[in-house]
Amino acid sequence: MASSHEDPFILNKLPGGLVSGPMRFPINLQSQQSGSIHDDSTAPDFGFTGAPVAGIYHMDLFPPLMTALVGNAWWRQGSLSLYFRLPTVEGEGVRGCAETPPKKSDVAATQFQVRVNNDSGQVVAEGTAASGLPDTHSWLRTKISKTPQPRDIRILDSMYVGKRVEAPAHHFDREEYRRLIGHIVEPLPDYTSASPWPGQILAPSMIADIAYYARTQLLGTTMTDAGALKLVAILGGLDLQFLKGPMFLGQRYHLELEVLSIGDSPQTEYFYYQCMMLDQASGDRIACFLMMMRFMKASSTHWT
């Protein structure tokens, strides 16, 4: 089914005090990445009926929903934290849902529940959003605090909690930005030359891209080749917090990465890391992106 993102955003009221945006149909932009979980020929080898759409694009469902609920303050000091339960494939509809946030209190952050539902009503991702700082108890950060000690780590045996690295300053290329904007499931004037901000701002999926590609600095050459993973991996969770946002096209951001947790499951090894994004000129911390990456054991010679 073709994407319906050309249709205007409409806030829908749902039972139980929930609200949602419209049903959208994200495109699998990574379908040509041979050997990745997003490739139709690779996905079935790991139990998927079709190649999953990257979870980062589900994050783009939320900015109009967040600003409708808490205003543009969300872009300055707000957060979105999602843990994925089900994969979705191209042509499958998804919508962002949220509970109506409580009235602003004296606490630093006003947190409320969010989720992504597919067109069958199943929960694709669950989590929290917040307006204000800090949200140290976001959905994903709370999961980190409950991560059990790993039993058998082979793929990530060179990784350790507390490992820190810096990555070269990053900025988005305008041509790449224009290409990606054409596929944003919830297009906003903020992403265009009509932006009410001092410039065009980066969508959450673009900020996720920055954090994702910077992970090679943590993984090193044993697990990556020319920036590409040698193993099949899938994102388990995403957590974006604006500290002094938003982030802008053309702005250079210095990146500081840190491993927060390592764990394992019967089919995967995984780790959580955060990528702090600092304005290169001022040194201000602009945003922090937390990511959970799962590595499929069946794709590693350590397990086969």
Side-chain angles (χ1 to χ4, degrees):
M1 183 179 295
S3 173
S4 64
H5 64 255
E6 296 87 355
D7 299 333
F9 176 85
I10 298 174
L11 190 67
N12 303 303
K13 291 186 177 180
L14 303 177
L18 296 176
V19 294
S20 79
M23 191 69 71
R24 301 304 197 194
F25 299 88
I27 295 172
N28 183 6
L29 297 180
Q30 280 78 35
S31 61
Q32 302 304 312
Q33 289 184 0
S34 179
S36 83
I37 202 69
H38 308 295
D39 170 28
D40 281 324
S41 62
T42 301
D45 294 339
F46 299 93
F48 295 93
T49 56
V53 172
I56 64 172
Y57 302 116
H58 296 333
M59 299 188 83
D60 293 334
L61 295 165
F62 286 94
L65 188 57
M66 296 297 98
T67 53
L69 293 174
V70 298
N72 275 340
W74 182 80
W75 284 110
R76 298 187 183 95
Q77 293 185 331
S79 68
L80 175 66
S81 185
L82 295 173
Y83 181 77
F84 291 95
R85 295 291 186 186
L86 290 175
T88 62
V89 296
E90 187 168 323
E92 185 175 0
V94 290
R95 70 169 79 232
C97 306
E99 66 177 357
T100 303
K103 292 182 179 179
K104 187 68 177 177
S105 65
D106 293 333
V107 298
T110 300
Q111 188 189 82
F112 47 100
Q113 303 290 307
V114 297
R115 65 177 185 239
V116 177
N117 285 357
N118 63 16
D119 47 17
S120 299
Q122 297 171 299
V123 177
V124 171
E126 58 187 345
T128 55
S131 177
L133 292 174
D135 186 13
T136 56
H137 301 290
S138 70
W139 195 274
L140 216 59
R141 288 189 182 275
T142 300
K143 285 194 72 66
I144 289 176
S145 68
K146 299 177 180 178
T147 302
Q149 284 293 320
R151 293 158 296 182
D152 189 2
I153 296 297
R154 305 179 192 182
I155 298 171
L156 299 171
D157 62 346
S158 63
M159 196 74 71
Y160 58 91
V161 174
K163 181 178 182 179
R164 297 182 182 184
V165 299
E166 296 185 7
H170 183 93
H171 75 285
F172 250 91
D173 176 84
R174 287 188 176 273
E175 183 176 341
E176 177 68 359
Y177 184 88
R178 283 194 296 269
R179 184 185 73 83
L180 293 173
I181 284 298
H183 298 293
I184 293 286
V185 290
E186 289 290 359
L188 296 172
D190 311 62
Y191 305 146
T192 72
S193 57
S195 171
W197 301 91
Q200 294 170 252
I201 65 176
L202 300 185
S205 62
M206 297 178 180
I207 302 172
D209 259 342
I210 294 174
Y212 177 74
Y213 286 107
R215 93 256 183 249
T216 59
Q217 303 296 319
L218 283 170
L219 296 173
T221 57
T222 59
M223 294 183 64
T224 62
D225 185 11
L229 286 173
K230 295 179 180 179
L231 302 175
V232 174
I234 189 168
L235 296 177
L238 304 164
D239 185 307
L240 167 63
Q241 181 150 119
F242 290 108
L243 308 173
K244 196 175 181 180
M247 294 179 65
F248 291 98
L249 172 66
Q251 196 86 0
R252 287 191 172 272
Y253 297 98
H254 179 70
L255 309 179
E256 297 177 350
L257 295 92
E258 181 181 0
V259 177
L260 302 182
S261 182
I262 300 172
D264 62 341
S265 70
Q267 294 182 318
T268 69
E269 293 182 27
Y270 58 86
F271 78 110
Y272 294 84
Y273 72 97
Q274 71 176 19
C275 179
M276 190 68 69
M277 302 175 182
L278 299 85
D279 182 273
Q280 189 179 28
S282 68
D284 291 340
R285 293 183 170 189
I286 305 301
C288 183
F289 203 100
L290 175 64
M291 191 171 290
M292 176 194 185
M293 290 194 67
R294 295 184 179 274
F295 294 88
M296 307 300 292
K297 290 180 178 179
S299 69
S300 169
T301 55
H302 292 296
W303 287 99
T304 56

